[in-house]
Amino acid sequence: MSNPQQLRYSKEHEWLSAAEDGVSTVGITEHAANALGDVVYVQLPELGDTVTAGETCGELESTKSVSDLYSPVSGEVTEVNDDVVNDPSLVNTAPFEGGWLFKVRVADEPADLLSADEYTEFAS
């Protein structure tokens, strides 16, 4: 498993991009996607919703189980990935590219986000 170095990671297996104009992209890691199995349904926060770091903001359903989606940061949702809602398999096939989940205007970022190397060690 190769976790992109430029991203940061939560212990709930979400990734966070560096902020561009205060907005970061959120997705789940390849490790989480593999553990879930084939994702068949994605429920994301809505545009304009406020999310809180470490709290549930959506749900991923796979052929194996249902898993809560946690926000790695606090802020306002500025965009959701409609492509992944229409084709949930993108979470499995491209978790770091087309399978991103939502974008958030970051109001608060917890200090406990992990680097790629720290996440790889944590997930193993």
Side-chain angles (χ1 to χ4, degrees), residues 10-27:
S10 74
K11 291 185 177 178
E12 287 80 25
H13 306 286
E14 282 81 26
W15 58 262
L16 179 75
S17 72
E20 291 183 32
D21 295 325
V23 175
S24 290
T25 303
V26 175

Side-chain angles (χ1 to χ4, degrees), residues 5 7-12 14 16 110-123:
Q5 292 292 319
L7 302 177
R8 286 164 307 197
Y9 302 84
S10 74
K11 291 185 177 178
E12 287 80 25
E14 282 81 26
L16 179 75
D112 64 350
L113 292 177
L114 306 172
S115 69
D117 293 336
E118 290 167 333
Y119 177 75
T120 299
E121 185 177 320
F122 170 77

Side-chain angles (χ1 to χ4, degrees), residues 15-117:
W15 58 262
L16 179 75
S17 72
E20 291 183 32
D21 295 325
V23 175
S24 290
T25 303
V26 175
I28 68 164
T29 65
E30 184 176 10
H31 173 82
N34 289 339
L36 276 171
D38 295 332
V39 177
V40 296
Y41 175 75
V42 176
Q43 177 196 358
L44 299 176
E46 305 224 355
L47 189 65
D49 281 357
T50 299
V51 294
T52 303
E55 295 197 6
T56 303
C57 64
E59 187 175 272
L60 302 171
E61 184 177 327
S62 72
T63 55
K64 291 182 181 179
S65 67
V66 176
S67 180
D68 287 332
L69 173 64
Y70 297 91
S71 181
V73 294
S74 297
E76 180 185 344
V77 176
T78 62
E79 186 177 346
V80 295
N81 187 350
D82 289 329
D83 290 342
V84 87
V85 172
N86 296 325
D87 182 6
S89 69
L90 288 171
V91 171
N92 297 103
T93 60
F96 296 112
E97 295 90 24
W100 63 273
L101 301 176
F102 64 95
K103 295 186 180 187
V104 60
R105 182 166 305 285
V106 179
D108 184 45
E109 185 176 310
D112 64 350
L113 292 177
L114 306 172
S115 69
D117 293 336

